[in-house]
Amino acid sequence: METIKNFLEIELIHIGEFNLRVYTLVTILMIFLMTKLILSLIKKTLYSGRYGKLDKGSSYALFQIVKYVLWVIAIGFVLETLGIKLTVLIAGSAALLVGIGLGLQQTFNDILSGIILLSEKSIKIEDVLEIDGDIVKIQSIGLRTSKALNTDDVSIIIPNSLITTNKVINWSHQTMKARFRIDVGVAYGSDIDLVIKVLEESAFEHPDVYDRESTEARLVNFGNSSLDFQVLFFSQSIFRIGKVKSDIRRSISRKFADHHIDIPFPQVDLHVKSSYTERKNPTE
């Protein structure tokens, strides 16, 4: 025991009144190990669903908040172990913190937005969002940025403030199915009832269309060159809806050809009026 005590009392660094001994490093190491152990136990408990029914997104959000709080506390203990008083440190660096705050205003805005996202849980991991016209699936929500995957399987880093301050459509917020639409025009003189029947059949024959009874085709407008129709359908394949729409369009095109229904080209009639005035040569 005496040997261990002497080893822990070994002085590594001595600068003025600051002394760094072996037991200080051991204490810091123990703080980090205990923090990681506690976080591991909390994560295992949250994701096991043993205490209440929390979905994956809610468990992730709660764990992230707990993780940040515990690490802040752990860093505070480390500073105290090193002999750095937090109150003195904060008071002495107040002016510096103001300058840093002004320079990193957007960063702090993103961090505050991250805390809001994690606490409100209005957006969770695996939610499908539409941001600025792009469809993405949230993979993780960090303190400053969130990571998402777009429909091209490309990872996108999104600042949290972009999600909290802009208009964002959450396709997964209330239900796992959503309504989509496909627009198509046919030539004037086509059988309207037949067109509606073909559109509805093309939609609800697709395996990813959710409800046959809710599939509906409509005549929406008399266009300049065509009768404009719209077919509406529900699907659970929200993130890959582009492929579903493509399959339905292919089916529509095939059925239109079978029933001799034409999709017209835009037509523009151009009338050219020319005039010719004969002038006599003044020398004649």
Side-chain angles (χ1 to χ4, degrees), residues 8 16 29 133 138 150 157 196 203 244 254 268:
L8 294 176
L29 180 61
I138 298 297
N150 68 4
I157 306 300
I196 290 178
V244 176
R254 186 169 57 250
V268 177

Side-chain angles (χ1 to χ4, degrees), residues 174-243:
Q174 294 180 337
T175 178
M176 289 306 296
K177 64 182 179 68
R179 189 168 76 167
F180 301 94
R181 63 196 67 195
I182 295 175
D183 298 317
V184 63
V186 302
Y188 275 97
S190 302
D191 188 335
I192 294 177
D193 294 332
L194 178 60
V195 173
I196 290 178
K197 179 182 177 183
V198 168
L199 292 176
E200 291 178 348
E201 286 179 352
S202 300
F204 60 62
E205 284 177 358
H206 196 282
D208 287 339
V209 172
Y210 180 76
D211 188 0
R212 175 170 179 164
E213 298 298 326
S214 299
T215 303
E216 178 186 2
R218 301 172 180 174
L219 173 63
V220 294
N221 196 18
F222 296 98
N224 294 329
S225 304
S226 64
L227 295 170
D228 298 332
F229 288 83
Q230 192 177 78
V231 57
L232 301 98
F233 59 92
F234 285 87
S235 177
Q236 292 178 310
S237 183
I238 299 173
F239 189 58
R240 300 295 181 186
I241 194 61
K243 184 180 185 305

Side-chain angles (χ1 to χ4, degrees), residues 32-52:
F32 277 99
L33 290 177
M34 286 297 298
T35 303
K36 291 186 71 67
L37 178 62
I38 293 172
L39 286 174
S40 178
L41 294 174
I42 293 174
K43 184 177 182 179
K44 185 177 180 180
T45 302
L46 288 175
Y47 281 87
S48 66
R50 193 177 304 169
Y51 301 100

Side-chain angles (χ1 to χ4, degrees), residues 11 20 23 35 41 47 54 58 63 82 96 105 111 126 130 135 138-139 148 152 165 212 227 236 269 275-276:
E11 188 177 88
L20 180 62
Y23 76 81
T35 303
L41 294 174
Y47 281 87
L54 291 175
S58 299
F63 176 72
L82 292 172
L96 179 61
Q105 185 176 2
I111 293 174
E126 296 190 352
E130 182 175 342
I135 303 296
I138 298 297
Q139 292 181 304
D152 295 325
T165 58
R212 175 170 179 164
L227 295 170
Q236 292 178 310
D269 294 333
S275 61
Y276 176 76

